[in-house]
């Protein structure tokens, strides 16, 4: 690993200490949302829920964000970055009361309310995070920034999963939801203090009259940068939503590998470890070069789907968790490249609208694919689903190869 690969992210944080503080505040809010998800998955897994319920949880955690991002063109010019951060955190905090009532009454819809509110907040913020990054960082910092953002997001998820799993072993879910509310409250205070110390960094807002992006008018590299995320979501949606159901159905005996927690919770933690490792593995490589490789997307999708097929096929708990780790190393390399490519190939004036539209397309793809996958599993089983996913990735590879040959022949 090169010296630049090691020093890049740390040098970036040293040059922008306020960004380190912002990341810490975002960590608190994300850890809180992960705690809520753990309570939901624990409750559902103890009720012996099947694949349709897991898919429903995944979809209901995405749809509000889809609606919020789709409506972004009507409201995004009304709020600056600071107002958007504070408002979304308040909404997520208030929604926890409904989630607590849902757990107390055993009502799945109310239990999911907080996750739905966090989803709406995420969709609302879709264009603001990328606007902050594009306005406050130089172009030669974007590779290091994409690495930091992706690693930080994965680390936040991992911290929430590990911390929440440990806490669930010593406190009941209702107390964990109270801890959840505390993390959101502290995050809100941290956002307020950070914005007060450096208001200029958070004063940017999307332009009111910025034209909506026309996908047909994008340059080839812009088009590729835009579509990586939604296509990854179309394949990742079924795998992310049904992964817990696949593990739950195996009835692994935790004592075989010294496992003290629910197999589904362990799966979520291992998945997060893979997500944080992916950007670290890819960091020595040039993200700009990766973003320009036509076969990166179909190649990673083939590996991702193939590894999940092996997870479903194996009867070994240790092998299943190892394959889970590898699958999410691959998927998060692709996720990091997608984020970098949008920052690199779109201007500060375009990035907010592009990020919102990409979020809408990605969420719609993940939601539709998850519902379709759930139906396929219910009617024909997992084998048919994996054959469809692998065939889809292979078909995408064939289209990319053919398109590149035509382009070079012109």
């Amino acid at each position: 690993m090169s010296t630049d690969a090691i020093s890049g992210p740390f040098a970036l944080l040293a040059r922008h200490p306020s960004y380190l503080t912002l990341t810490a505040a975002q960590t608190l809010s994300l850890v809180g949302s992960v705690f809520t998800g753990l309570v939901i998955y624990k409750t559902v897994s103890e009720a012996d829920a099947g694949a349709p319920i897991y898919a429903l949880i995944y979809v209901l955690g995405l749809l509000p964000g889809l609606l919020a991002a789709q409506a972004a063109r009507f409201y995004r010019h009304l709020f600056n970055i600071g107002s958007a951060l504070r408002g979304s955190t308040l909404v997520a905090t208030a929604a926890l009361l409904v989630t607590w009532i849902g757990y107390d009454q055993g009502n799945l819809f109310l239990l999911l309310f907080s996750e739905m509110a966090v989803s709406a907040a995420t969709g609302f913020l879709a264009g603001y995070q990328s606007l902050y990054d594009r306005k406050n960082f130089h172009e030669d910092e974007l590779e290091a920034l994409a690495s930091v953002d992706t690693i930080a997001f994965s680390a936040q998820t991992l911290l929430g999963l590990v911390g929440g799993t440990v806490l669930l072993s010593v406190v009941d879910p209702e107390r964990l939801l109270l801890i959840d509310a505390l993390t959101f409250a502290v995050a809100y205070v941290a956002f307020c203090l950070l914005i007060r110390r450096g208001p200029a960094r958070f004063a940017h807002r999307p332009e009111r009259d910025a034209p909506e992006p026309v996908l047909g008018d994008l340059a080839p590299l812009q088009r590729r940068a835009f579509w990586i995320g939604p296509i990854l979501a179309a394949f990742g949606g079924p795998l992310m939503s049904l992964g817990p159901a696949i593990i739950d159905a195996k009835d692994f005996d935790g004592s075989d590998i010294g496992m003290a927690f629910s197999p589904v919770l362990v799966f979520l933690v291992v998945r997060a470890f893979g997500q944080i490792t992916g950007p670290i593995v890819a960091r020595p490589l040039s993200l700009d070069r990766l973003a320009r490789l036509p076969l990166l997307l179909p190649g990673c999708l083939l590996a991702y789907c193939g590894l999940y097929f092996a997870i479903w096929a194996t009867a070994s708990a240790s092998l299943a968790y190892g394959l889970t780790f590898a699958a999410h190393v691959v998927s998060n390399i692709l996720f990091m490249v997608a984020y970098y490519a949008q920052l690199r190939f779109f201007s500060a004036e375009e990035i907010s609208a592009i990020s919102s539209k990409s979020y809408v397309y990605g969420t719609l793809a993940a939601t539709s694919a998850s519902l379709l996958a759930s139906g396929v599993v219910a009617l024909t089983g997992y084998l048919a689903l994996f054959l469809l996913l692998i065939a889809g990735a292979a078909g995408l590879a064939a289209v990319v190869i053919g398109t590149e040959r035509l382009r070079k022949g012109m």
Side-chain angles (χ1 to χ4, degrees):
M1 187 179 292
S2 69
T3 303
D4 289 342
I6 298 172
S7 63
F10 292 105
L12 180 78
L13 294 174
R15 288 193 299 271
H16 301 275
S18 62
Y19 186 66
L20 178 60
T21 308
L22 174 63
T23 301
Q26 289 175 318
T27 297
L28 287 170
S29 60
L30 184 58
V31 164
S33 65
V34 173
F35 285 177
T36 303
L38 284 174
V39 171
I40 293 169
Y41 275 110
K42 177 179 173 62
T43 304
V44 171
S45 65
E46 289 177 349
D48 295 324
I53 295 298
Y54 282 104
L56 177 65
I57 292 171
Y58 186 76
V59 169
L60 289 180
L62 291 177
L63 277 178
L66 169 66
L67 298 175
Q70 178 63 25
R73 64 182 182 275
F74 299 114
Y75 65 73
R76 60 177 170 239
H77 63 279
L78 300 174
F79 306 97
N80 61 28
I81 298 169
S83 299
L85 278 172
R86 289 179 296 198
S88 59
T89 306
L90 279 177
V91 169
T93 307
L96 278 172
L97 176 62
V98 181
T99 300
W100 185 86
I101 295 171
Y103 178 80
D104 187 58
Q105 297 182 357
N107 185 311
L108 179 62
F109 179 78
L110 292 180
L111 186 63
L112 286 169
F113 189 84
S114 180
E115 189 140 313
M116 293 167 68
V118 170
S119 170
T122 302
F124 174 78
L125 288 172
Y128 289 99
Q129 179 68 50
S130 54
L131 178 64
Y132 176 92
D133 289 348
R134 206 64 177 85
K135 287 287 189 180
N136 291 297
F137 294 90
H138 300 298
E139 195 158 298
D140 60 358
E141 296 176 313
L142 294 182
E143 283 207 27
L145 176 63
S147 297
V148 170
D149 278 355
T150 309
I151 292 171
F153 176 77
S154 303
Q156 291 158 357
T157 305
L158 180 60
L159 178 62
L161 286 170
V162 173
T165 301
V166 172
L167 285 171
L168 271 177
S169 68
V170 295
V171 302
D172 59 58
E174 288 179 293
R175 285 193 174 88
L176 186 59
L177 289 176
L178 290 176
I179 297 172
D180 189 355
L182 179 62
T183 64
F184 277 117
V186 174
Y188 178 79
V189 173
F191 286 140
C192 291
L193 293 175
L194 186 60
I195 294 166
R196 185 174 181 179
R197 287 173 52 191
R201 299 179 70 87
F202 298 91
H204 305 289
R205 67 179 68 204
E207 295 181 12
R208 179 172 187 169
D209 299 323
E212 286 297 305
V214 179
L215 300 184
D217 295 340
L218 298 179
L221 280 175
Q222 289 181 316
R223 193 176 300 118
R224 186 182 303 159
F226 177 87
W227 283 110
I228 290 176
I231 293 174
L232 173 60
F235 285 81
L239 301 179
M240 293 285 284
S241 64
L242 296 178
I246 291 172
I247 296 297
D248 199 26
K250 290 180 177 293
D251 293 323
F252 285 142
D253 183 1
S255 62
D256 292 344
I257 56 173
M259 195 168 58
F261 304 106
S262 157
V264 171
L265 293 181
V266 175
F267 167 80
L268 295 175
V269 171
V270 171
R271 188 169 76 180
F273 267 113
Q275 289 169 338
I276 195 174
T277 304
I280 296 172
V281 169
R283 184 64 190 95
L285 306 174
S286 166
L287 296 187
D288 193 74
R289 183 168 62 85
L290 289 176
R292 297 171 189 272
L293 290 177
L295 286 174
L296 176 73
L297 176 60
C300 286
L301 290 178
L302 278 169
Y304 189 26
C305 297
L307 287 164
Y308 257 89
F309 172 74
I311 293 167
W312 169 74
T314 185
S316 165
S318 56
L319 181 57
Y321 292 129
L323 292 167
T324 299
F325 175 84
H328 289 280
V329 168
V330 172
S331 69
N332 243 33
I333 289 174
L334 200 54
F335 180 84
M336 180 174 68
V337 171
Y339 185 65
Y340 165 77
Q342 287 194 9
L343 291 177
R344 173 67 178 81
F345 300 129
F346 292 97
S347 68
E349 291 71 31
E350 297 171 317
I351 193 64
S352 181
I354 282 292
S355 294
S356 293
K357 186 175 283 289
S358 180
Y359 182 89
V360 168
Y361 278 49
T363 305
L364 186 61
T367 303
S368 303
S370 296
L371 290 174
L372 180 62
S374 177
V376 169
V377 169
L379 291 174
T380 61
Y382 282 103
L383 178 60
L385 171 63
F386 286 114
L387 290 177
L388 282 173
L389 289 173
I390 293 171
L396 179 62
V399 169
V400 169
I401 292 171
T403 302
E404 285 299 302
R405 285 180 176 173
L406 284 174
R407 185 180 63 82
K408 292 176 179 178
M410 293 176 63

